[in-house]
Every structure is written in structure tokens, then in C-alpha cells.
Amino acid sequence: MGGPAGTAIVEHLRTGPHRVLAADTEPDTAGHRLAGAQALLPRGTHPSYGAEVLRLVEAHRIEVIVPTVAEEVAALHDHVEPLLDLGCHVLIPEPRAVTACSDKYAFARVCAENGIPAPETVLAGEPAPQGPWIVKPRHGRGSRGVFPADTAAEAARLAGNAPDSIVQTRLAGREFTVDLLCGPDGEVVVQVPRWREQVRGGISSAGTAFRMPELEAQVELLVKALEFRGAANAQGCLAEDGSFAFFEMNPRFSGGLPISLLAGADIVEAYIALALGQPVPKESLAWEPGRRVVRYLTQAAPGPTSTPGSGEPPRNADLLARAAGEEDHRPVGRRRILVPLGTRPEIIKLAPVLMGLSAIHDIRVVFTGQHTTAALGDDMLTEFGIDPIERWTPDPRTAGSGAESLGALTSKAAGSLRRHRPDAVLVLGDTYTVPAFCLAGVAAQVPVVHLEAGLRSYNPLSREEANRRVAASLAALHLAPTERAAAVLRGEGIPAERIQVVGNPVLDALRSRGVLAAPVSERRGVLITVHRPTTVDVPERLAEVVRTVERLSREAGPVVFPVHPRTADRLRAFGLEEQLAATGAEILAPLPYTDLLRRLRHSQVVVTDSGGLQEEAAWLRVPAVVMRGSTPRWEGVEAGLARLSPVEHGAVCEAVAEVTAPRFVARLASLECPYGDGRTAEHTARVLGRSDVWERMSLREPDFTDGQVPTI
């Protein structure tokens, strides 16, 4: 309710006979303060949102709900019947219409399939349409993350920086918005086209209403194609030759709604009448074309916020209980965050996070060069559109030596912190880059944020386990992928207020590409990957891998084996190349990420010693046989999506036979991915956009001079 649309609606309604209750996640938003009564709600995406809405409706006898945020529209749909039972009405579109409007690529497809003018649109990574171009988030609002591009290379780079993005032919001409309202039967009750003459933060602050029959006819076709009902606003562009195209439609009232209201179309009162099943007076929608409106800000000195009927300001405990952890804190100012990465998995996982954080902070990337081959390093940076501010070249004298390599990286990390003076460092996972920057961060008094925190294999011989535990000791903020990982951190003594569960970012890469589980009927054979020193650096163990490839090619084939550079070196050194070539498997060089996902998606099973591949396989419902005695990703084992196995070929093949048996395969569709929702970048940006989080990240010396001792 605190956004421009909600504020406009509250201002409009309070001049009439209505009793207005404004509900928001924050108590100090403009719309919240302007209403006669206020309440606090969790966000529309929170599981408790619907129950809290029903509680408010029942407690305060609400007759009509006017949602102003797209997430609220989607969340309310499942509660329409319970609301009606309480005497409350709401007019909202079906979920499929909300989805088509919230996804700019899906919206473009609807337009194309129904002959409605729209710019040619492709997903990031697909061949670009005719230029010039504009790159924007596939799911987003306002002007955040929207960038023009004048060359195909620039468009590809921008899209690579944001895997969850679209590339469109850039429209030239005059931008417009159409505020519209549709009845329960999908009929357009009123529509007001207006020029976007002045835009601030994606919201129209000045505009002029106009009529254009051809445009209004296309709006009606668009509404019909979407089977839409309720309030919406469509945006587009009118070219000099008189042609026009729509580039998005939002399933809610617009931030520029006051322009249409002041032109004479009382869309808000019409919405209330339609929701209540009452007729809409035609005179209330008789708007005046040519009416120009300029909006200005005003000031308010708010008094204490109260919950309706209580007469008391809500207590912090009440706010936390209602919002279930979504605290009342203001956004933090723009900060400089240094993000080091040095391996293929880090590049894949951090690419969407970098994009999400770039919208609110100054992000600087350092490539530490742990993966030195082009296929795993520079090529991946290019594929994901990441342009590091520094690129380190590993010292061959320390390559391959754990202690010396870590020492060299830590020294370079200290220099990087001196040069860039960041407010924080964000590290991911468990490579040597993580402890290097943790140690350098403590020395420079720069807080470190650890993404993918709390994973534990409980293997004291694992370098990665040691790196993760160093991060747990030194990081100021721990972004855990799962509740299990968060519980591990709490059990190790990490204060709960320094832990946030955000999911695993590798799923963002899959979701943004639209990569979903393939039908079981389209899956064949086995994908194999191995690269860990404990697997490939011991001749006998690597020979077992070759025997596994040979036997699976006969019994479960076809087998696809993209060979990691480290593995290729060891195969040559141990004289196993010819034996592998004779197995009949498809032996490949490291695959581009998109190709790897395609192979994984269409495999019956993946046999691997990789950590990240277990997460991607779980998203795609492909069972994983993990050639390790333990794993830091226990959630997949608990869910039945992963099996641990010794490296001996007999054990591996037995496990493959079990997870490809018809009885097991029949269960796959019902299994849930336990590693997140594919929106880790959004969750991370939200956490690092909060002032209270930055306050807790600040590094201070303890003071026990009062005689107290630390609790244990």
C-alpha cells in the first residue's frame, strides 16, 4: 500500500464516504500514514499472507480489498472464497493472466500468438532480434535493470550479466500507458490512454490523456487474449509513422493512476462497484482527453502508527510475529561490494546474484583465476557476461599446492581490498578464494558475506570442508541455502541474527533459462563427471571410474563423459586414455553450461563427484549417484534424489540400477527440489538492501570490562 498506486488510491478514497484501512509491510509508508486506520501485513509472497488478510477482514469487517501489488494479486486468488464467506469482495484476474503479465517474455508470446503489436522478444542467450535492442529483467518492475544496447555484442554482454533477462527490439517513439479496468466477465469497462511525459523511477509524474480508437481496440484484444479481469495498466510506444506496440502489462493499478483520475475517470470507485456486483455510473467514467496532469510530492509529519481498534502502536514483537521475520527497517544506501570468484561453479552461481545486487549496490568483480583453462574460466566469464575489474594470473610456482596457493591468494586479496576499499566482500562456496578473502577481510576490517554457508560434509580430510569452516568463523553474515544449513551454523554457535536462508543460486541459472525437468520418456543413458582430487589423483580410483564408464556403456548406455582438464591430465599420466576411449562412451571436452544442462536434463541418471551438479540434478528431478563417502548436500540424500556410493565400479553400477528402476523412476515427478526456489538472487538483494543487516555486519571489538563473561 506504500507504493505510488496505493498512496494514490488512499488519497482518492479518503475524500469520499469510505472507511479506509491501509495495510503494508512497513509502518511509515505514505499510503499507510494517509489512511484513517492502518495494519501491518507480511509480504504477498509470504506463506502467512493469506491468513493474515483473512484475520484483518474478519476483525474489521472489510467489504472490499483493493490490491496494489502484483504479488498480492497472485496471493489473494486462493482466498477469494474464504473472503466471500466473510462478506469481503475482491476483483482480480486468474493466476494464468497474472503469470503472463508478470513475465515479460510470456507477455510477448501472448501478443505474438494473437496478432497484437509487440517488439520481437527473445530470452537471454538466444539469437538477438533486429536491433537496436533493450535488455531488461524478465520479471521486474519500473526501470530497474533496464539497459539499451546499440550493438549485438553489447546486447549479448548485458544479457549475459543477467541470465533472467530478455532482449527486445528497442521501440522508438512516444511512450504511453493505458489505465484500464475490466469487469468480472472480461469486458473493458474503461480505459484511459495517457502519454508518459515525465517519468521518475519508472513512475509517470506528468502526462496527458488522449484518445486513439485503434489503440483502444488493440487493448480490448489484449484483454481478451489474457482473459483478464480487474485493474491493469498496459504500456507501449507510438512510432512516428503512427504504428504502436505494447511492451508490458501490469496486473494492478498503475503508479501514474492520479493522471487518469484527474482526467475524470474514477477507476477506483468503478473497481469497488464491480467488486460488489453493483452497476457503474457512466458519468463517473466520462474522462476528458487533452487533460494534462503534473504530480508533485508533499510532506507529512506522521504520528504513531496504530492497528485499527487497538489505540496503541504495534510493538516490535507484534511486527515480527505478523511479518514472520520481515522486520521494520529502512533500505540501506548504495554500498560498494567486492565479489571475488575464480572457478566455473562460482561464475555460474554468482552471475544472477551479481545482476540482482547491481541494481542497488556498486558491484566490483575480481577473477582470482583458480580455473586457468579458458573453457572453465575466461569462456565462462564471456558466456555469463561478467567483466571483472581485476583478473589474476596464478603463479605456476604455487599452483597445485594447497598451502602455498592459499597464501598467494590471501596476499593478493589483501592488495585488492586496499585498492577498492569495499564496504563488504561477498564470497561463495568453498574454494580457496573463500578463506583468502575471509582472512584478508578480517585484517582490513571489511565484513565478509558468505553465500552457500553452512554446508558440512564432516570430512576432516576435505580441503573444501576446511574452507567452509574458516568462513563460518570469520564471516559477518551467513547466507545459507537451506534450513538444514542454517541449523548447522546455529549449532556451531553462529548468532541467529547473522544467518539468513536464501536458497542456492545455481537454481537461479536454471529457472532464468526456463530449464525444467524433461518427461521421463525423453531421458536416456548416463551423464558422468569427475574432477575431485580424491577421485582422480589416485591411479586405482581413476581406473575404477574408467571401469564404471565401460560397464555403464554396456548396461545403461549411452554414456556421456565431459572430461574435466584435471581428469584429462591424470588419465594421460596414469596411461588410462586408451582404455577410456575403448569404452564406447561419448568422451567430450568440458561443455558450455547450456549444453551441460541439456545433457543433464535428458539423462536417466548422473554419476558424479561434483557438489553443484547434485543441486542442478535435483531441480531437474534427475537422480544422482555421488561417488563419495559423504556430501555437504544432505538434503538431496534425505529427499531421495541422491545416493552416496563408493568409487568401486560394482557399487556405482548397482546404485545406478536402483535409481533407474521403474519403481524409483515413477516417484521422481513427486519429489521436491530441496535447495531453494530459484530466486536466490532476489532474496540476497533483499537481505543486503536492509539497513539492519548492515548494522549487524559491522565489525567491533567486544567490551567485557563490566565484569561479565561470554555465555556458552
Side-chain angles (χ1 to χ4, degrees):
M1 181 56 71
T7 302
I9 291 169
V10 171
E11 282 192 302
H12 185 70
L13 289 176
R14 70 175 185 163
T15 63
H18 304 289
R19 178 175 61 92
V20 181
L21 181 149
D24 204 321
T25 61
E26 305 285 347
D28 285 329
T29 54
H32 206 236
R33 290 293 186 178
L34 290 170
Q38 303 86 26
L40 293 169
L41 283 175
R43 298 181 186 277
T45 54
H46 196 278
S48 68
Y49 174 80
E52 286 296 298
V53 169
L54 292 172
R55 181 187 63 79
L56 280 179
V57 166
E58 184 173 18
H60 305 290
R61 300 177 183 176
I62 305 299
E63 292 184 88
V64 177
I65 293 177
V66 186
T68 64
V69 179
E71 290 82 359
E72 295 172 351
V73 174
L76 284 170
H77 188 271
D78 291 338
H79 302 282
V80 171
E81 292 300 326
L83 286 169
L84 285 174
D85 291 341
L86 295 173
C88 182
H89 302 76
V90 62
L91 179 59
I92 53 177
E94 292 291 328
R96 61 179 178 274
V98 177
T99 299
C101 291
S102 302
D103 181 339
K104 294 181 177 64
Y105 179 74
F107 176 77
R109 297 301 307 158
V110 169
C111 290
E113 291 166 2
N114 290 275
I116 298 166
E120 189 176 352
T121 304
V122 300
L123 295 172
E126 294 181 346
Q130 182 177 353
W133 303 268
I134 191 161
V135 179
K136 61 177 69 172
R138 181 175 177 178
H139 306 86
R141 62 186 66 173
S143 57
R144 289 174 292 183
V146 178
F147 302 100
D150 294 319
T151 66
E154 185 181 15
R157 180 182 64 81
L158 290 168
N161 282 334
D164 187 19
S165 67
I166 59 171
V167 181
Q168 290 182 322
T169 298
R170 191 164 80 231
L171 300 177
R174 196 174 183 185
E175 285 195 22
F176 62 80
T177 293
V178 183
D179 288 318
L180 62 113
L181 179 64
C182 306
D185 58 357
E187 178 188 0
V188 178
V189 175
V190 62
Q191 56 174 305
V192 183
R194 51 182 170 81
W195 302 118
R196 291 163 62 88
E197 294 168 351
Q198 189 177 86
V199 180
R200 293 174 180 168
I203 306 298
S204 295
S205 56
T208 301
F210 69 94
R211 286 200 183 278
M212 185 177 179
E214 305 94 324
L215 174 62
E216 294 169 37
Q218 288 294 325
V219 168
E220 293 188 357
L221 290 177
L222 180 57
V223 167
K224 183 177 180 180
L226 292 168
E227 298 181 351
F228 197 88
R229 65 189 182 196
N233 65 93
Q235 295 183 17
C237 196
L238 180 71
E240 291 183 358
D241 63 3
S243 63
F244 57 85
F246 300 99
F247 51 78
E248 68 179 51
M249 180 164 162
N250 300 299
R252 55 172 173 79
F253 287 103
S254 71
L257 176 65
I259 297 174
S260 293
L261 292 173
L262 292 169
D266 198 338
I267 302 177
V268 178
E269 288 288 357
Y271 170 91
I272 293 173
L274 289 170
L276 291 171
Q278 299 172 354
V280 179
K282 290 185 178 180
E283 59 272 16
S284 69
L285 301 178
W287 57 277
E288 180 184 349
R291 184 75 176 271
R292 186 172 191 271
V293 178
V294 180
R295 302 170 63 210
Y296 297 94
L297 295 176
T298 187
Q299 289 75 40
T305 300
S306 64
T307 303
S310 70
E312 298 179 359
R315 298 165 297 167
N316 283 342
D318 295 333
L319 302 189
L320 289 174
R322 286 197 199 163
E326 297 190 13
E327 303 178 55
D328 171 26
H329 288 283
R330 299 180 183 278
V332 72
R334 194 170 182 85
R335 302 294 176 91
R336 178 178 299 169
I337 302 178
L338 195 69
V339 183
L341 46 81
T343 64
R344 172 186 170 121
E346 288 170 300
I347 294 169
I348 293 169
K349 293 183 175 186
L350 283 170
V353 176
L354 294 173
M355 180 60 186
L357 290 176
S358 294
I360 58 173
H361 293 305
D362 173 16
I363 304 300
R364 303 189 178 189
V365 177
V366 172
F367 181 59
T368 61
Q370 287 188 251
H371 275 169
T372 57
T373 59
L376 302 183
D378 287 340
D379 290 353
M380 294 299 295
L381 291 170
T382 300
E383 181 177 348
F384 283 88
I386 299 174
D387 187 13
I389 198 167
E390 291 185 13
R391 291 176 184 256
W392 298 355
T393 302
D395 187 338
R397 294 173 298 179
T398 62
S401 170
E404 292 180 354
S405 178
L406 178 57
L409 286 171
T410 304
S411 178
K412 289 183 177 180
S416 187
L417 294 182
R418 286 193 299 270
R419 286 187 292 275
H420 299 290
R421 303 177 64 84
D423 297 297
V425 175
L426 173 68
V427 296
L428 176 138
D430 50 27
T431 70
Y432 279 142
T433 294
V434 173
F437 273 87
C438 284
L439 292 166
V442 170
Q445 298 182 19
V446 175
V448 174
V449 180
H450 186 208
L451 181 58
E452 210 177 69
L455 275 64
R456 294 291 180 271
S457 67
Y458 306 102
N459 180 0
L461 301 180
S462 166
R463 299 178 184 179
E464 290 88 349
E465 183 80 353
N467 294 340
R468 290 189 289 264
R469 291 182 180 272
V470 169
S473 298
L474 301 181
L477 179 65
H478 308 261
L479 302 181
T482 64
E483 288 293 345
R484 180 189 180 95
V488 167
L489 293 167
R490 291 192 295 270
E492 294 176 355
I494 307 298
E497 63 267 20
R498 290 181 178 265
I499 304 169
Q500 295 282 339
V501 177
V502 297
N504 195 293
V506 75
L507 304 185
D508 291 41
L510 278 71
R511 185 186 66 82
S512 65
R513 285 170 162 78
V515 180
L516 302 174
V520 172
S521 60
E522 297 179 9
R523 304 182 187 189
R524 296 178 65 241
V526 185
L527 175 67
I528 295 182
T529 75
V530 292
H531 73 284
R532 304 181 71 80
T534 52
T535 307
V536 304
D537 286 3
V538 179
E540 295 79 10
R541 295 174 69 84
L542 188 55
E544 284 293 321
V545 171
V546 174
R547 294 188 189 99
T548 297
V549 174
E550 189 275 331
R551 180 171 167 181
L552 289 178
S553 295
R554 286 188 286 106
E555 299 178 358
V559 171
V560 177
F561 187 8
V563 180
H564 188 281
R566 181 189 192 99
T567 307
D569 289 343
R570 300 306 185 268
L571 287 166
R572 284 190 294 271
F574 302 153
L576 294 170
E577 273 188 313
E578 290 186 6
Q579 185 178 340
L580 178 64
T583 60
E586 185 178 2
I587 310 301
L588 303 171
L591 293 169
Y593 188 57
T594 301
D595 292 346
L596 178 65
L597 292 180
R598 179 175 57 82
R599 297 276 190 165
L600 174 61
R601 179 173 180 264
H602 289 285
S603 296
Q604 286 184 297
V605 60
V606 58
V607 176
T608 185
D609 63 358
S610 167
L613 207 54
Q614 296 174 50
E615 298 150 351
E616 292 149 325
W619 177 269
L620 297 172
R621 311 301 192 274
V622 174
V625 174
V626 184
M627 293 186 291
R628 295 166 63 176
S630 68
T631 176
R633 294 164 177 84
W634 297 102
E635 295 85 352
V637 177
E638 291 175 328
L641 286 162
R643 296 279 183 93
L644 300 180
S645 170
V647 74
E648 286 76 21
H649 74 281
V652 174
C653 293
E654 182 179 344
V656 167
E658 290 176 1
V659 299
T660 55
R663 186 174 62 179
F664 185 91
V665 171
R667 296 177 49 234
L668 289 176
S670 64
L671 300 180
E672 294 292 330
C673 177
Y675 298 114
D677 60 3
R679 298 185 182 276
T680 296
E682 295 177 25
H683 303 321
T684 301
R686 184 164 58 248
V687 169
L688 291 177
R690 286 168 41 183
S691 61
D692 66 302
V693 171
W694 285 87
E695 290 166 6
R696 289 198 287 268
M697 283 167 53
S698 60
L699 303 178
R700 303 183 184 92
E701 288 190 358
D703 184 356
F704 295 106
T705 56
D706 58 0
Q708 296 187 31
V709 296
T711 57
I712 56 174

